[in-house]
Structures are given as structure tokens and as C-alpha cells.
Amino acid sequence: MKKLLFLFIILTSSFIFAQENTEVYVFDIRPAYEGLELMNPRNISDNQGYDNQPFFISNEALIFAGNNDGQTDISEYNLTSKLQKWVNNKTEGGEYSPQKFPSSNDLASVRLDKDGLQRLYRYNSQTGSSSELIKNLQVAYFAFYNDQKILSTVLDGDSMDLVLIDLSSKTADTIFRNAGRSLQKVPKTNSMSYSLVNEDGNLDLYMLDMDSYESYFICELPIGIKDCVWINDTQILVGSGNKLYMYDTLGEPEWTRVASLEEYGLKNISRMAISPDGKKLAVVALPM
């Protein structure tokens, strides 16, 4: 496999959710000799406007932030039945980064109100009604460790802080300054991953042990890349242009190209998600 040469200009960070005409695609995936084989592509959003931030709630269903007649709401798509539905009751704001509680069917999402207020909400799976999870916290992005502990990035002027939220005690502790937006639960471990802006203005990826709260450096993300996803407990995937690149923590310390979306007519890969069984990949991209 060829080594990756990154020729990207670092983009200025923005905490306004971009309203591009992005789509959410799902592929079946499996290991291949050249890296990763992508099969059976499906456009599950197929919708004008902003469709982004996918999250698998099971191996056969996922949710994402979708354009609902000009408003961003939580959309759920079932890969077996091919049915889509809107999950939350409509609010005055937009719902972003939807995720499922680890041990509940309830969802959480960042709500961006028209007046600029940005908060983390819980959405009842039976009624669709919502309630604020933690008061007075300007959450930008988040990821669950369990039902009580959430790793988040919180707006702090022109940057973001890495903040650990404990819902049982209703506390929020700042761990680091100048964090990136990609937060992940590392599969089959007691760790979370996060990124911090380094002295060169790029993002370094770290792992946080949720028992000891000690952090460990993993690698530097490719220049200009803000999002990553764990395929398993050792392999990390990023998207750049129409290519996918992998870093194996047990292999050589380098990013290698493992797949291309060019044949599917896609470009500008950004956010991704992996199904719990590791057999499906959701990709946010733009049609060429």
C-alpha cells in the first residue's frame, strides 16, 4: 500500500454547523488485501440540504442530523426495511450530532436554537419530547462512555475545551484546552479518544483511560483532517477527498490508503460511523 502524501490547507475552525448539501451513504465493508473493500453503497438520506453526523443505534439502523423542510431534525433509517422516520418532536432550534444512550433507547443531541443558544438535550424514545441534560453548558460535540459519563467539547470563545460531563452528579470538569471535534468510544476498551490542537496547528489524537483518567498519545491526524472513527480497538479510519486512510496502532506509525470512493462518484468525505459489528460504514460526502 502506498504511503499517504497530504497536501491540504488547514481550514480555520468553525463551530457553526455548515449547511452543505451533504448526503449520508452506507457501505458494507470487509478487510481486503489492499486494505478495505467497500460494497453495496446506499444513499440513505437522499435529501436536499444538510444531512450529516451519522450514528449507528444497531447493526441495521442508524440516526443522523437531517434536513426536514428547512429544519435540522433527528432522522432514523432502517437498512432492512429501508424506511425512514423523524424521531424528535419539532423544536424552535435544530438538532445535531444525535446519539443513542448506551443502555437506553433514548437519544441525545445538541440543540442549536435560533438565538444562538447551544445545549445538550435528551429525547424520550416513547414520546419524542426533550429535556436539557446539563444546564448552562455550551456543548459543541459529545460522545458517551456510559449512560452517566459523556466526553464533550465545549465552546470557549474561538476554541473548544475538552470537558467530562457526569450526569449523576450534574458536574462538568474541564480536562484540556484547544480540543478538536472528533470524540469516540474505543471499541471493546475502557477508553475514549479525543484530539488536541498541537503547536503546528494540526490535531494530535489521544486515548483517555476512563478508569485512571490518564491520557496517551496515539498519533497526529493528517493535516486538515478533523474526523476519525475506530474500526476496532486498534485501527483508525479517516477520510480525505474521496479516499479512506487507515492507521493501525499495532503496525507501522503511518497512514495508508485503504479504499477510494471515486468509483461511486463521491468527494469531500467528512464524518463517518461504524456499525457495532464492524461490518457497515456510514460516510458523509458530497456527490461529484
Side-chain angles (χ1 to χ4, degrees):
M1 291 180 286
K2 296 181 180 178
K3 292 184 179 180
L4 172 61
L5 298 177
F6 292 96
L7 302 175
F8 293 94
I9 299 173
I10 301 173
L11 301 177
T12 303
S13 296
S14 172
F15 308 118
I16 299 174
F17 295 101
Q19 302 297 307
E20 291 182 293
N21 189 28
T22 48
E23 298 283 5
V24 180
Y25 301 85
V26 173
F27 295 85
D28 294 328
I29 61 171
R30 66 185 179 193
Y33 178 75
E34 288 296 327
L36 197 65
E37 184 178 4
L38 306 180
M39 304 163 290
N40 305 320
R42 287 151 285 180
N43 181 345
I44 67 164
S45 54
D46 196 17
N47 187 27
Q48 290 296 314
Y50 182 86
D51 300 291
N52 212 314
Q53 301 168 324
F55 181 90
F56 280 91
I57 59 176
S58 71
N59 291 321
E60 294 299 326
L62 65 163
I63 53 177
F64 59 93
N67 178 31
N68 185 10
D69 293 327
Q71 179 165 310
T72 304
D73 287 321
I74 303 172
S75 177
E76 180 179 331
Y77 187 89
N78 187 289
L79 295 167
T80 302
S81 66
K82 299 180 181 179
L83 295 178
Q84 180 270 345
K85 65 179 181 180
W86 299 105
V87 176
N88 61 292
N89 296 334
K90 276 204 169 186
T91 67
E92 290 299 317
E95 326 300 323
Y96 295 89
S97 301
Q99 297 179 34
K100 177 182 172 297
F101 274 76
S103 301
S104 166
N105 288 326
D106 288 358
L107 305 179
S109 180
V110 173
R111 180 181 300 171
L112 179 60
D113 291 331
K114 293 179 180 179
D115 61 2
L117 189 66
Q118 192 166 310
R119 295 290 188 267
L120 186 61
Y121 278 77
R122 182 174 190 146
Y123 298 80
N124 186 286
S125 59
Q126 301 298 318
T127 65
S129 60
S130 59
S131 58
E132 195 172 344
L133 271 173
I134 188 162
K135 299 291 184 182
N136 302 319
L137 199 65
Q138 196 87 331
V139 176
Y141 305 96
F142 70 99
F144 282 100
Y145 176 66
N146 55 32
D147 284 346
Q148 299 301 324
K149 293 183 180 181
I150 301 173
L151 197 61
S152 67
T153 51
V154 173
L155 300 182
D156 181 17
D158 294 329
S159 64
M160 294 187 293
D161 294 339
L162 187 71
V163 174
L164 180 62
I165 299 171
D166 190 325
L167 296 180
S168 60
S169 60
K170 295 295 182 182
T171 57
D173 296 321
T174 299
I175 304 175
F176 295 107
R177 309 288 184 184
N178 295 319
R181 72 187 185 188
S182 186
L183 304 167
Q184 303 281 329
K185 171 73 169 63
V186 183
K188 299 179 181 179
T189 73
N190 62 345
S191 297
M192 305 283 289
S193 69
Y194 63 92
S195 58
L196 297 177
V197 180
N198 61 30
E199 60 185 11
D200 295 322
N202 304 323
L203 288 171
D204 288 336
L205 189 65
Y206 291 86
M207 188 180 293
L208 177 67
D209 186 306
M210 295 297 290
D211 292 330
S212 65
Y213 296 116
E214 293 183 359
S215 286
Y216 306 91
F217 173 79
I218 302 172
C219 64
E220 183 179 48
L221 292 178
I223 295 173
I225 300 301
K226 299 179 181 179
D227 301 291
C228 67
V229 66
W230 291 81
I231 298 178
N232 49 50
D233 58 346
T234 64
Q235 294 176 319
I236 309 159
L237 198 66
V238 300
S240 177
N242 57 19
K243 306 294 191 298
L244 294 175
Y245 300 89
M246 184 186 294
Y247 187 98
D248 193 330
T249 59
L250 299 180
E252 295 295 323
E254 62 185 24
W255 292 92
T256 54
R257 194 179 83 176
V258 292
S260 173
L261 274 60
E262 184 175 8
E263 64 179 290
Y264 302 110
L266 302 179
K267 63 179 182 179
N268 294 1
I269 301 168
S270 55
R271 291 173 174 86
M272 295 180 291
I274 297 284
S275 61
D277 63 5
K279 295 181 179 180
K280 292 182 176 64
L281 171 68
V283 175
V284 175
L286 290 171
M288 287 184 177

